[in-house]
Amino acid sequence: MLSEILEGDPLTTGGALDLRTGEVWPRSAIEYAAEDGADVDAPDFEDEDRFRWADGDSRDGDRDMVEFIDTIADARLAERLHDAIHGRGAFRRFADTLRRTSEHDLSRWFEWVGERKRGRARAWLTDLGFRVASR
């Protein structure tokens, strides 16, 4: 969950990590909890001893796509993927292109990018001073 709030559109991603419980509060859950009449007891997210805010960022994901394209053996597919990653909606076009042309590379992409996201989340936690244990 932490890796998901750290990446993506800065307007919709981000959230808070509860340093006591390890619970991740996505931005959407925080916004919902702040609404009048919400059926959630929201903690004090301003408590810096308890919470750390995580801002979303899409730059790492953009780099992931470019670096993944470099692993594609089929030059025509690599060119199509390069074309897909420009402009708004790049992530969807990128995955759709893989979905239409190479189920193998689509599966490889999801495994590859998932590990990179988890690695960045582990690094973020390490920067906060946590020792991240492996499973």
Side-chain angles (χ1 to χ4, degrees), residues 71-84:
T71 72
I72 300 291
D74 180 337
R76 282 189 286 170
L77 175 56
E79 185 176 331
R80 290 179 66 195
L81 290 169
H82 270 292
D83 291 343

Side-chain angles (χ1 to χ4, degrees), residues 36-101:
D36 288 334
D39 59 354
V40 174
D41 288 330
D44 178 10
F45 294 106
E46 301 300 318
D47 180 352
E48 292 182 8
D49 291 329
R50 181 172 177 188
F51 289 96
R52 288 296 181 276
W53 184 258
D55 291 312
D57 186 347
S58 63
R59 289 175 293 195
D60 288 327
D62 293 340
R63 281 189 293 274
D64 287 345
M65 289 187 295
V66 170
E67 290 176 21
F68 184 80
I69 291 169
D70 291 341
T71 72
I72 300 291
D74 180 337
R76 282 189 286 170
L77 175 56
E79 185 176 331
R80 290 179 66 195
L81 290 169
H82 270 292
D83 291 343
I85 64 172
H86 298 289
R88 193 153 179 80
F91 290 100
R92 178 177 296 265
R93 282 191 311 277
F94 181 85
D96 286 348
T97 300
L98 284 173
R99 193 173 285 109
R100 285 190 308 270
T101 57

Side-chain angles (χ1 to χ4, degrees), residues 1-36:
M1 182 61 122
L2 178 61
S3 68
E4 293 302 315
I5 69 168
L6 287 171
E7 299 191 23
D9 183 346
L11 297 176
T12 59
T13 58
L17 171 67
D18 187 327
L19 298 174
R20 289 187 202 152
T21 67
E23 185 176 11
V24 175
W25 287 76
R27 179 188 305 263
S28 59
I30 293 169
E31 290 170 351
Y32 174 76
E35 291 177 5
D36 288 334

